Structures are given as structure tokens and as C-alpha cells.
Amino acid sequence: EPLLQGRELLQLYAAPTGPTQALRGVDVTVVGGRISAITGPSGSGKSTLLALLALRERPAGGELRHRGTLVSGLSRRRLQQLRRREIGWVAQRPTHSLFPQLDARGQIEQMARLRGVTCDPLDVLAEVELTGRAAALPAVLSGGEQQRLAVAAASVGTPALLVADEPTAELDDDSAALVLRLLRARADAGSAVVLATHDARAMAAADTVLRLRHGVLTGSASDGRAHTSMIDGQGRI
Ligand code: ADP
Ligand code: ADP
């Protein structure tokens, strides 16, 4: 059974000029054990699709299932529990997925507590070469360090779904490689890793690349070892 299954997903936003259709009938299936990249021009609906998959927004239309259960039928409490325990989320601005008052070590410990798992925070920080910054608050970290920390914290406990919005966009090659290596390790351990990205380095590291255009999934060109996976207009990621 897939982790997530979306059918005819639709999302609308109110805009001054009238409703914006951010997603129009997207079919998508998410399974564990692989890295999928969603690419497409700015405004094509990537962040919106990630927000639906991470159960942070409800679709305006269509049907989203989590392990076979309709998400629309889940209580707020159950949704929050799923978001905390099973879903790692890295916002486009990494500080939006970090606790401002906790140091780097505390971020990892807090995430482990929320998820009900145990881990050695220094081991997790070592994966992104941040052991030396264990006592630093997010505000004093560089942008690249914040990004590495946000990805590491979200990945604690190998969540069933690990979603990251442009996780490598602002990173130099060394930092991008650390982040992509960590994402690969979690995918190998079973997480479904889903990225929104424009970055060729991230697309090359993905197993699957899906393209969005004006809220519609289109299958086209491949990058690196990744291939676009579209069967009858349905993306399997
Ligand atoms: P991408 O991540 O590919 O840049 P988004 O999912 O952010 O695309 O946006 C898709 C469309 O929905 C855009 O037209 C954007 O302006 C609009 N949109 C996204 N989020 C909101 C929101 N919270 N309120 C209003 N419009 C939004
Ligand atoms: P929310 O209900 O808005 O998702 P929580 O109260 O669960 O937030 O958690 C507060 C903060 O903890 C979030 O703003 C975020 O910084 C972090 N956080 C919580 N859950 C996750 C998660 N699954 N992945 C990444 N960060 C998370």
C-alpha cells in the first residue's frame, strides 16, 4: 500500500485578482524508499503540492489518502499527531522549521521527543557536519548551517515522509552534498523523500523527477540518473 495517494488534487487560493488554481487535477502516488524531486517554474504549484502531501493543507478538491485512509476524514488531533510523528518538514526558509529558542542540539532532541524516538543528537549533527555548532541558536548560524540543521532535525527518527522545499538552493557544493547524502540515507532506511527543487544537483540525486506547470503534472525530460515517472498522467514518486 502506498504511503500517500492523491487523485485529482485541486487547490485554490483567494487572490486580489480572483481565485488562483494552484493545482488542477494532480494524480500522485508516494511510496517509501526513494527520493523524488518536483520541479517546475516558480508559481507552478510545487510548494502547494508539498503542503498537501505533508498534511499541512487540505485540498480544495480531489481525494488524498494516507495509508489508504481518506485524509478528509481524519480529526485535527490525528492530523497533528501524524505531522509530528510521521512527517518531516523543511520549509523553504529553514528557520521556519526550526525552534528559534533552541540550540542545534536542542532542535534534534526536541524533534526526537515530538516523534517519541531516541537518538544521539551529536550523531545526527555529525551527519551534516554541525557537531561544532551544537550550542548555537538558529539566529547565529549561517544560512547554509540553518539549512543543514533543518534537514537533519526533520529527518530524526526516519519519518515515513520527509518533505523539503528547495533544500539545496542556497548551498555551496559541499553543503548540498551533505544534505543530499543525509536524504539518501533516510530514503535507504525507508522514508519517502519528496523535494521541490530547481537545483540540478538535487534532481541528479533523485530517483524520480516530476514536473509541474500551471498546477498540472507533466512528464518530460530527465536529469542525471533520475527519470520522470509518468504513467497515464499519474506520477508515481
Ligand atoms: P511554487 O512552489 O511552484 O512556486 P506555489 O505552490 O507556491 O508554487 O504557488 C502556486 C500558485 O498558488 C501561485 O500562483 C501562488 O501565487 C499561489 N499561492 C500559493 N500559496 C498561496 C497562498 N497562501 N495564498 C494565495 N495564493 C497562493
Ligand atoms: P505545527 O502544528 O504548526 O506543525 P508544532 O506545534 O507541531 O507545529 O511544532 C512547532 C514547531 O516544531 C514547528 O513550527 C516546527 O518548527 C517544528 N516541527 C514540528 N513538527 C515538525 C515536523 N514534522 N518537521 C519539522 N519541523 C517540525
Side-chain angles (χ1 to χ4, degrees), residues 33-61:
R34 57 206 329 215
I35 302 179
S36 305
I38 300 167
T39 190
S42 178
S44 59
K46 301 181 297 296
S47 302
T48 300
L49 182 55
L50 291 190
L52 295 189
L53 296 177
L55 311 184
R56 299 180 74 85
E57 283 187 23
R58 288 172 187 265

Side-chain angles (χ1 to χ4, degrees), residues 1-5 65-69 78 82 86 160-161:
E1 183 170 69
L3 178 65
L4 288 158
Q5 196 147 33
R65 287 178 186 273
H66 178 271
R67 298 191 203 281
T69 302
R78 177 67 181 140
L82 285 174
E86 296 208 34
L161 178 65

